[in-house]
Amino acid sequence: MSTPTTTAAGGPGGPGGPSAVPAKGLRAGILDLGDSVMLGLASTAPVYSLAATLGLIVAVNGNYTPLILLLGFVPVLFIAYAFRELNSAMPDCGTTFIWARRAFGPWAGWLGGWGVALAGVVVLANLAQVAGQYLWLLIGDGSLAANSLVVTATGVVFIAFMTLVNYRGIRLGEHVQRVLTYVQYGSLGIFALAIVVRIAGGAPGGAIAGQAFDLEWFNAVGAFADPGAVVHGALLALFIYWGWDTCLALNEETENPARTPGRGAVISAFVLVAIYVSVALLVMMYASVGTEGIGLGNEANRSDVFLAMKDAVLGPWGWLIVVAVLASVLSSTQTTILPTARGTLSMGVHGALPAKFGEVHPRYQSPGFSTQVMGAAAIGYYVLMSLVSENLLSDSISSISLFIAFYYALTGFACVRYFRGTLRGSARNLWFRGILPMLGALLLTAAFFISAVQMWDPGYGDTRILGVGGAFVSGVVLLALGVVLAVACRFAPSTRDYFRKQPAPAV
């Protein structure tokens, strides 16, 4: 696909300034800063992420859970600065793909793009599963939520519907996202307010008493008395922040592409940590970290602490928190398709994938073919894994931490590499283009290997393959598939020129 070259930021490229990017035909300037922040927040599915992860962190770290949530945020914030700086120079919707290519060459770029797409496809299977379960929890007596065939079929419908919404263009998607965001945060706000009222009114309505706020919960010295627990908890916390980078993938459709998406990413990251820590504190004070009743340490509540608390907190209005989780999951389903489709669109435009991937729908100005492929891939993966084994589906979803750590770390290293010539220009450049991205990349690289070692244990997760944890095997197989596909593209007539071209030099 031949396209003219323009400067997306509206100004000339140059050292440290916005570089020229191909005009792809996307609908430019349709999103503002508020839209960018909203999409960054929605992609993380904050209500569902908290519901599904809080109990797991409490099981490992107990009262130090709020501190662990802050520690998990640190590398995410450092990488957010890397995304911001790279976007200011190259506001291309391919994000990690194009940035890694410019910093390290075509192979790194291709594998970075694969990491983004892989994480999106795999997590869509998880979101579809949860959406199907929660919908049927709201209908009738909730028994159909345990019917795997019904849940799978419902999940497929949800993915197909959200794929259609994204195919019809960013404006329709933004409207749908706004409604889901209002429902999600409105319900979460009511839930949090009800907890505040019950705490102020005395003992909780559950089977156990709550606990008073204690500054010890933020005592790093006490937490690090068990370093292994801190590492384990921080790894759990680290990946509930994933998704804020969606607003960067929509840079070419945002006002001031070189500046607004980066600001949106950093703002959404800070808003997320505020939501996670404040809600975690309220829930801990109300339910405690005990192992009985609605306690967060109760193993029966571990998979969804909000579901366990809903009736005690909201009484007959407990269904509101089910609606909040459902809206959270649907919202993330839609926004997860956005970056994956735009990543493969950019790969098609730059020749890393067949030119068909680089086509934009002439009417809807969306990545038409790429969106359809991403939706179909997610549906195919979800159905296949559901048919093979629901336990294997669960373990393959656990391996997503490997994919996220891989492409986030690659982005951090690419930032340092690309801007290496400007790091001595100012203290700002040194910190935001060098030190912080490097620290974030190193922390995420460590997280990658620590997660891999944990997944190697055959006792990790629900399956084992050849004496090794199923999560490790599925993660390695999917990452290795990217290498195989890259080699195939290297020799395919339609994409081999991408691997022969030398990217422009770094600044």
Side-chain angles (χ1 to χ4, degrees):
M1 179 177 179
S2 178
T3 57
T5 299
T6 64
T7 299
S19 300
V21 299
K24 304 176 183 65
L26 297 168
R27 191 173 180 183
I30 195 67
L31 303 173
D32 59 21
L33 179 60
D35 296 326
S36 189
V37 172
M38 179 189 69
L39 290 167
L41 292 174
S43 295
T44 62
V47 178
Y48 169 64
S49 295
L50 268 176
T53 309
L54 196 54
L56 298 174
I57 299 176
V58 167
V60 177
N61 300 101
N63 283 327
Y64 294 112
T65 292
L67 174 65
I68 298 302
L69 290 172
L70 290 174
L71 291 176
F73 173 67
V74 171
V76 170
L77 177 62
F78 293 170
I79 295 300
Y81 286 128
F83 270 81
R84 185 188 68 180
E85 294 301 309
L86 285 166
N87 181 76
S88 70
M90 295 172 281
D92 189 295
C93 66
T95 62
T96 298
F97 155 69
I98 197 69
W99 301 335
R101 175 180 179 246
R102 291 287 297 274
F104 298 115
W107 287 94
W110 206 102
L111 293 174
W114 172 251
V116 175
L118 185 60
V121 168
V122 173
V123 82
L124 279 170
N126 177 44
L127 295 171
Q129 179 89 349
V130 175
Q133 290 171 341
Y134 271 77
L135 176 66
W136 293 108
L137 282 175
L138 289 170
I139 299 175
D141 61 0
S143 60
L144 286 176
N147 187 311
S148 60
L149 180 60
V150 171
V151 168
T152 301
T154 306
V156 167
V157 171
F158 279 138
I159 295 177
F161 175 73
M162 290 306 181
T163 300
L164 176 61
V165 168
N166 289 327
Y167 178 82
R168 293 291 297 269
I170 190 62
R171 178 49 74 196
L172 174 61
E174 188 269 336
H175 289 328
V176 171
Q177 193 58 238
R178 193 172 294 276
V179 172
L180 290 172
T181 299
Y182 289 156
V183 172
Q184 176 181 183
Y185 285 98
S187 301
L188 180 62
I190 293 171
F191 182 66
L193 181 61
I195 292 178
V196 171
V197 170
R198 289 190 177 276
I199 291 174
I208 59 175
Q211 56 189 120
F213 173 80
D214 191 340
L215 282 175
E216 175 63 23
W217 300 349
F218 294 93
N219 181 4
V221 175
F224 276 92
D226 185 352
V230 172
V231 171
H232 189 183
L235 287 173
L236 289 170
L238 175 63
F239 298 106
I240 67 174
Y241 293 102
W242 173 62
W244 50 265
D245 51 307
T246 290
C247 52
L248 276 302
L250 297 169
N251 48 19
E252 297 185 49
E253 295 151 277
T254 306
E255 298 173 355
N256 194 351
R259 179 176 172 83
T260 300
R263 291 177 62 198
V266 174
I267 291 172
S268 60
F270 274 109
V271 172
L272 279 171
V273 72
I275 291 172
Y276 287 152
V277 174
S278 59
V279 173
L281 286 172
L282 284 176
V283 172
M284 285 174 60
M285 291 170 65
Y286 176 75
S288 89
V289 296
T291 58
E292 299 178 359
I294 60 172
L296 303 182
N298 188 336
E299 189 172 350
N301 304 338
R302 199 164 294 170
S303 62
D304 191 333
V305 295
F306 289 173
L307 198 62
M309 294 173 59
K310 67 181 180 66
D311 293 330
V313 175
L314 295 171
W317 294 90
W319 55 270
L320 271 176
I321 201 61
V322 180
V323 169
V325 175
L326 178 59
S328 178
V329 171
L330 290 178
S331 178
S332 187
T333 301
Q334 185 210 334
T335 52
T336 297
I337 297 171
L338 292 173
T340 54
R342 279 151 182 78
T344 52
L345 168 75
S346 182
M347 293 178 77
V349 169
H350 290 280
L353 289 176
K356 186 72 175 176
F357 282 88
E359 294 181 358
V360 169
H361 194 284
R363 177 182 175 188
Y364 302 128
Q365 293 180 277
S366 67
F369 181 74
S370 285
T371 300
Q372 291 175 321
V373 169
M374 289 303 105
I379 289 174
Y381 181 81
Y382 176 41
V383 172
L384 177 62
M385 289 293 99
S386 297
L387 291 175
V388 172
S389 168
E390 286 197 6
N391 287 337
L392 185 58
L393 171 63
S394 175
D395 280 351
S396 70
I397 291 167
S398 297
S399 68
I400 194 175
S401 61
L402 300 177
F403 316 145
I404 299 167
F406 167 71
Y407 87 83
Y408 272 9
L410 180 60
T411 303
F413 288 128
C415 182
V416 178
R417 169 77 175 176
Y418 183 78
F419 289 115
R420 66 190 184 279
T422 70
L423 298 183
R424 296 182 180 181
S426 67
R428 180 198 179 280
N429 285 355
L430 178 62
W431 280 99
F432 292 109
R433 295 179 172 183
I435 294 174
L436 297 183
M438 177 60 76
L439 286 174
L442 291 174
L443 288 170
L444 286 163
T445 300
F448 179 94
F449 287 106
I450 292 172
S451 294
V453 169
Q454 290 177 346
M455 292 175 189
W456 176 273
D457 185 345
Y460 185 97
D462 301 315
T463 60
R464 66 180 66 186
I465 300 173
L466 301 176
V468 178
F472 178 87
V473 174
S474 59
V476 169
V477 167
L478 290 172
L479 283 173
L481 177 60
V483 177
V484 173
L485 292 175
V487 171
C489 288
R490 167 63 180 82
F491 294 101
S494 63
T495 53
R496 62 190 176 195
D497 285 345
Y498 161 80
F499 291 90
R500 295 174 177 175
K501 294 178 182 177
Q502 291 299 317
V507 298

